[in-house]
Amino acid sequence: MKNHEFFMNEALVEARKALQKGEVPIGAVVVLDDEIIGRGHNLRETKHDPTAHAEIIALREAGAKLGTWRLVGAILYVTLEPCPMCAGALVQARLREVVYGIDDPKAGAVGSVLNIPQFPAWNHFVKITGGVLSAEALSLLQQFFQDKRRNNDR
């Protein structure tokens, strides 16, 4: 069985794709039985779509591949802690686990600010693992925002 770092590296590949497009560098992969079944990276600016988060794109691809919205047993790897919209989608998709790189202290919804995947009233709970390859994920975000500030100063 491949480890969390292996698949988080794949999410980081997706984050770098977002960075190359001028998007906030967030990447995600959905894994089932040690196989990546969905990939996504942030495309909100490119698609002019507030729902084009890496997680949502990866979940859509995984659902299309499996022919169902129920991703029972799957794990989502994402470089930044999911927001409320994405955290809700994790529950709706019936994921087994979410593994993320860095906390989002402003909008994190899997433990930092809120804990949507483990809300007591739900009929499905998603396991949460954070801090996987956090230095690498943080570095990409810092690079993006430093470049953005530098370009705005010109």
Side-chain angles (χ1 to χ4, degrees):
M1 180 171 177
K2 298 173 182 156
N3 62 20
H4 286 330
E5 288 82 12
F6 177 87
F7 291 113
M8 186 59 75
N9 271 313
E10 292 297 315
L12 287 162
V13 166
E14 291 298 316
R16 288 182 194 97
K17 290 177 186 177
L19 183 64
Q20 290 172 346
K21 294 175 182 175
E23 297 273 1
V24 177
I26 301 167
V29 296
V30 178
V31 175
L32 182 63
D33 298 328
D34 256 2
E35 177 189 345
I36 295 174
I37 59 171
R39 292 178 169 274
H41 54 273
N42 194 22
L43 289 172
R44 291 190 313 169
E45 300 298 331
T46 303
K47 292 186 174 255
H48 311 291
D49 179 355
T51 69
H53 290 207
E55 300 96 322
I56 300 298
I57 294 166
L59 289 170
R60 286 177 180 159
E61 187 174 289
K65 181 168 186 166
L66 296 181
T68 181
W69 58 268
R70 288 181 180 91
L71 304 178
V72 177
I75 302 172
L76 176 86
Y77 291 85
V78 61
T79 56
L80 179 68
E81 180 183 2
C83 72
M85 174 185 68
C86 294
L90 305 179
V91 175
Q92 292 299 314
R94 309 298 195 265
L95 290 182
R96 181 177 84 213
E97 183 175 3
V98 58
V99 178
Y100 68 91
I102 57 174
D103 291 342
D104 184 345
K106 292 185 179 183
V110 299
S112 290
V113 178
L114 302 169
N115 189 349
I116 291 173
Q118 296 178 345
F119 185 73
W122 301 152
N123 63 351
H124 177 78
F125 299 96
V126 180
K127 181 181 175 189
I128 299 166
T129 303
V132 177
L133 298 183
S134 58
E136 292 86 340
L138 180 60
S139 176
L140 281 175
L141 282 170
Q142 287 173 332
Q143 176 186 348
F144 173 80
F145 287 109
Q146 286 169 357
D147 290 349
K148 199 118 178 106
R149 280 191 295 275
R150 194 172 15 252
N151 290 335
N152 285 340
D153 288 343
R154 292 182 185 169

